[in-house]
Amino acid sequence: MAEAIYVGGLLVATPLLDDPNFRRSVVLILEHDLDGGTLGVVLNRPSDVSVTQVLPVWDPLVTGPSVLFEGGPVQTDSALALAAVPSGEEPLGWRRLHAGTPAVSRLGTVDLDAPPEILQGEIAQMRIFAGYAGWTSGQLESEIAEGAWYVVDSEVGDTFHGDPGSLWRHVLRRQPGELAFVATCPDDPTMN
C-alpha cells in the first residue's frame, strides 16, 4: 500500500468514512501540492444525467456509461473531463496529468471548450465529471491519519472501469495483506 499522496494515486474510502459524498468512493488524485492542497475526482459515482443532456457534442467520445459522473462536492455546476490517449502524443485540447506512474501516464484533462473534432481519433477513452473533490493544505493528511482513507496505487483500468459500482471492491481486493479483506465488508456493518 502506498503511503504518500501523489498525482495519479487513489484514495479509497475506508468503511469508517460515512460522509455521503465519499462513502465507498474511489478518488483519483489529479493535483497535489503541499502548500495548495489536493484535488481529485470520484471515479465510481455515475449520475442519472446523460452526457447528451449537458454536453451533447462530447457524447460520441465518452466511454460508457454515457453519463456525467459525480466528481465530488466542489463546483458541481462545472465539468471536468479525463481522457486517455493511445500513444505518447499530446493532442491539442488535452493536457497530461503530471504523474510519474505508468498507470496514468497516458491520462490527462480535456479542454471542454475546444471543438471535439480535434480530439476525435486522438483519445482512446473519456469520462466527464460534474464537480470535483478538494482538500486544503494538510486537510487530506489529517483525514488519512484519522482512518478515513486508504492511499493505494492506481492501475490502468481504474479511471474508465466498466462497472463503476464495483470499483471500490475491485481496488481493495487487489491490495496486499489484510487490506484485501476490507472489500468483503458489508454495506451496513450492523447487518452482519
Side-chain angles (χ1 to χ4, degrees):
M1 183 166 88
E3 289 301 321
I5 301 166
Y6 63 95
V7 172
L10 295 177
L11 298 172
V12 180
T14 71
L16 299 174
L17 183 58
D18 61 359
D19 175 335
N21 291 309
F22 295 111
R23 190 173 184 281
R24 299 233 168 176
S25 66
V26 177
V27 177
L28 177 69
I29 299 168
L30 303 180
E31 293 178 15
H32 178 65
D33 181 331
L34 292 176
D35 300 322
T38 307
L39 182 146
V41 290
V42 177
L43 297 176
N44 60 333
R45 290 268 195 293
S47 74
D48 295 329
V49 179
S50 73
V51 173
T52 54
Q53 288 176 268
V54 222
L55 295 160
V57 296
W58 288 101
D59 188 61
L61 298 179
V62 170
T63 304
S66 189
V67 296
L68 286 182
F69 277 67
E70 296 171 12
V74 182
Q75 291 189 354
T76 55
D77 57 345
S78 66
L80 181 153
L82 289 177
V85 293
S87 66
E89 300 297 312
E90 290 203 28
L92 281 173
W94 180 86
R95 187 173 60 92
R96 184 180 309 281
L97 289 184
H98 295 289
T101 60
V104 292
S105 64
R106 294 185 175 172
L107 196 60
T109 56
V110 171
D111 177 358
L112 292 171
D113 291 328
E117 301 77 46
I118 65 170
L119 284 165
Q120 191 117 28
E122 298 289 328
I123 59 173
Q125 295 171 299
M126 179 173 149
R127 283 218 169 126
I128 301 175
F129 301 86
Y132 62 89
W135 294 266
T136 57
S137 181
Q139 182 184 5
L140 181 56
E141 290 83 350
S142 295
E143 290 182 17
I144 292 167
E146 292 165 5
W149 299 100
Y150 303 118
V151 183
V152 302
D153 294 331
S154 60
E155 288 187 1
V156 174
D158 293 340
T159 303
F160 306 104
H161 197 270
D163 179 13
S166 71
L167 184 62
W168 184 82
R169 280 193 164 90
H170 176 80
V171 170
L172 286 171
R173 204 173 288 127
R174 71 175 185 238
Q175 301 308 313
E178 293 181 13
L179 190 52
F181 291 114
V182 177
T184 63
C185 184
D187 284 340
D188 183 356
T190 62
M191 301 300 286
N192 198 5

